[in-house]
Amino acid sequence: MTKKKTVRKTAAKRTTRKAGQKRPIPGWIILLSGVLSGLLLAVFIYVQGWVPEPIQNKQTPVPGADKEVVQPVEDVSKDLSKQKPDYDFYSVLPEMEVVIPKEELEQQAARNSKEYTYVLQVASFKNQSDAEELKAKIAFSGQIAYIQSIDVNGTQWHRVRVGPFDSSREADKQKRQLEQSGHKALVLKETKS
């Protein structure tokens, strides 16, 4: 008896719908309606005359005309295989050769052979005490800084710098460490002296 009650309850749940809910349209009805509407559209287009006429062969065969004399075609492939390919760049390339003077080559080699070092410039001050204070702050962050004093247009400037480094990768690594401690730095590339 309990099995019958549960079966009835589940069957009742399947067939009951909420008020206002429509049944879904089966897929085969949608497919059939699409095919029928396509056929109706095709018939309408055909009846209106919008379909082009098929091309018909209007030439009628003439009896005895199929015995025409066919002339043999010349075989020119042998002549083509004997010809050498005609490439222009074999003759043009030597004419376009550019000779670079030895002096220019030596200057370029000297420019390329220079070795560089990388330096981080953290700041530049007119006051020596400000530069010393920043140098001490950088020392507390674990890096060694130095002060370079220069004269620009009659004004004394004191640059706070870190380095030198042999590679740009090492300079970039040290720059990131400075930025983590709150200091902005410029990477400068200098020739070794």
Side-chain angles (χ1 to χ4, degrees), residues 14-24:
R14 282 190 224 146
T15 58
T16 58
R17 288 182 294 166
K18 293 181 180 177
Q21 186 180 11
K22 295 182 178 180
R23 286 189 179 174

Side-chain angles (χ1 to χ4, degrees), residues 13-137:
K13 287 181 183 177
R14 282 190 224 146
T15 58
T16 58
R17 288 182 294 166
K18 293 181 180 177
Q21 186 180 11
K22 295 182 178 180
R23 286 189 179 174
I25 301 173
W28 64 271
I29 292 177
I30 296 172
L31 178 68
L32 186 62
S33 64
V35 169
L36 287 176
S37 62
L39 285 173
L40 286 173
L41 182 64
V43 168
F44 177 73
I45 290 173
Y46 183 73
V47 169
Q48 291 293 327
W50 296 339
V51 178
E53 298 271 338
I55 299 173
Q56 296 177 358
N57 189 1
K58 296 183 180 179
Q59 295 177 351
T60 57
V62 179
D66 57 346
K67 295 182 182 178
E68 288 183 28
V69 177
V70 179
Q71 295 180 357
V73 178
E74 277 188 67
D75 186 19
V76 292
S77 61
K78 293 178 185 176
D79 296 335
L80 292 175
S81 64
K82 291 179 184 176
Q83 291 179 350
K84 291 184 179 179
D86 184 28
Y87 298 118
D88 287 340
F89 64 87
Y90 286 125
S91 59
V92 173
L93 192 61
E95 295 170 5
M96 295 179 67
E97 185 176 355
V98 177
V99 178
I100 300 174
K102 287 184 179 181
E103 296 86 23
E104 285 185 36
L105 290 173
E106 290 171 359
Q107 289 174 357
Q108 184 66 29
R111 276 187 244 132
N112 292 341
S113 68
K114 289 183 181 177
E115 294 185 26
Y116 297 99
T117 59
Y118 298 90
V119 178
L120 298 177
Q121 181 168 321
V122 183
S124 182
F125 298 101
K126 288 184 180 179
N127 192 351
Q128 174 80 25
S129 62
D130 292 337
E132 292 289 339
E133 185 180 327
L134 181 61
K135 178 182 171 185
K137 287 180 184 178

Side-chain angles (χ1 to χ4, degrees), residues 124-128 147-159:
S124 182
F125 298 101
K126 288 184 180 179
N127 192 351
Q128 174 80 25
I147 298 173
Q148 180 186 37
S149 298
I150 60 163
D151 184 46
V152 178
N153 296 333
T155 307
Q156 188 73 19
W157 286 92
H158 306 282
R159 298 174 176 168

Side-chain angles (χ1 to χ4, degrees), residues 160-178:
V160 180
R161 292 184 163 192
V162 177
F165 305 104
D166 290 331
S167 68
S168 62
R169 181 173 285 180
E170 180 65 27
D172 189 50
K173 180 180 172 185
Q174 297 297 326
K175 178 184 175 188
R176 279 188 259 123
Q177 285 181 358
L178 279 171

